[in-house]
Amino acid sequence: MKSEPHEFSFDDLVKAPGKRTPWFGVRNYQARNFMRDQMQPDDPVFFYHSSCPEPGIAGIAEVASPPYPDATQFDVKSKYYDPAATPEIPRWFHVDVKMAKKTPFVSLAELRCHRELAGMRLLQKGNRLSITPVDPREWKFITEKLLKL
DNA sequence: GCCAACGTTGGC
DNA sequence: GCCAACGTTGGC
């Protein structure tokens, strides 16, 4: 899951109440569908910093709730307000995310160095999705070989 | 700031 | 349903 660290960094998650946060603000259908349809409580997540001087994996989090409507879609004051959404028929769903493990930083440049990760969706040319699935083999390689957990 | 690669919008 | 125009993402 990508986050811009000047908006919300992994350290912000560590400092958040309960070390958790709703993953609000996703306004892309594919990314929404991953949260709504694919993610389960306790699923592990790489917390990725994007749009910053050094993009990369900043830590490990986990899914901490079932999917539920993103409250910001109903909030006219929010930049994530969606006039087409109503509480009766919400459009945007998200999960809560909880800090799981502080890890060494793994930069995007490093991720790109390993042929084992060449197929990783996050690294594909043109990928802009803020949430992408991680193949179990890719998860294993990163956690065992790069993070040495 | 540039720009490739998408995704969304809206007229037809 | 098509597709041009426009907006966004995100690495560089």
Side-chain angles (χ1 to χ4, degrees):
Chain A
M1 299 176 90
K2 295 182 192 172
S3 185
E4 304 187 8
H6 57 272
E7 295 278 343
F8 192 82
S9 69
F10 188 75
D11 281 339
D12 290 330
L13 181 64
V14 173
K15 286 182 277 186
K19 300 185 178 184
R20 59 188 290 155
T21 182
W23 203 256
F24 62 86
V26 170
R27 294 294 180 270
N28 171 281
Y29 289 105
Q30 262 186 288
R32 176 202 70 181
N33 293 349
F34 284 134
M35 288 196 283
R36 191 189 60 186
D37 306 332
Q38 307 284 126
M39 298 171 90
Q40 306 268 12
D42 299 332
D43 279 352
V45 169
F46 288 129
F47 193 111
Y48 179 90
H49 285 177
S50 64
S51 292
C52 56
E54 177 113 80
I57 295 169
I60 293 177
E62 65 188 30
V63 177
S65 82
Y68 66 101
D70 180 337
T72 63
Q73 70 192 301
F74 312 124
D75 177 2
V76 293
K77 304 266 176 50
S78 170
K79 67 171 172 173
Y80 300 116
Y81 175 63
D82 183 348
T86 66
E88 291 71 31
I89 309 175
R91 177 177 293 193
W92 304 109
F93 292 78
H94 62 32
V95 295
D96 287 355
V97 163
K98 191 170 75 179
M99 204 280 288
K101 199 167 187 55
K102 178 101 172 148
T103 68
F105 185 79
V106 183
S107 70
L108 174 60
E110 158 121 43
L111 293 171
R112 290 202 191 283
C113 285
H114 301 281
R115 38 194 313 124
E116 292 88 343
L117 303 176
M120 201 175 174
R121 183 124 172 217
L122 173 73
L123 306 180
Q124 297 314 297
K125 184 182 168 88
N127 171 61
R128 295 183 312 166
L129 273 184
S130 65
I131 300 176
T132 50
V134 178
D135 183 275
R137 284 164 300 175
E138 295 159 356
W139 182 274
K140 193 171 196 295
F141 181 82
I142 292 169
T143 53
E144 291 182 7
K145 306 290 181 188
L146 303 186
L147 296 172
K148 317 220 189 299
L149 299 181

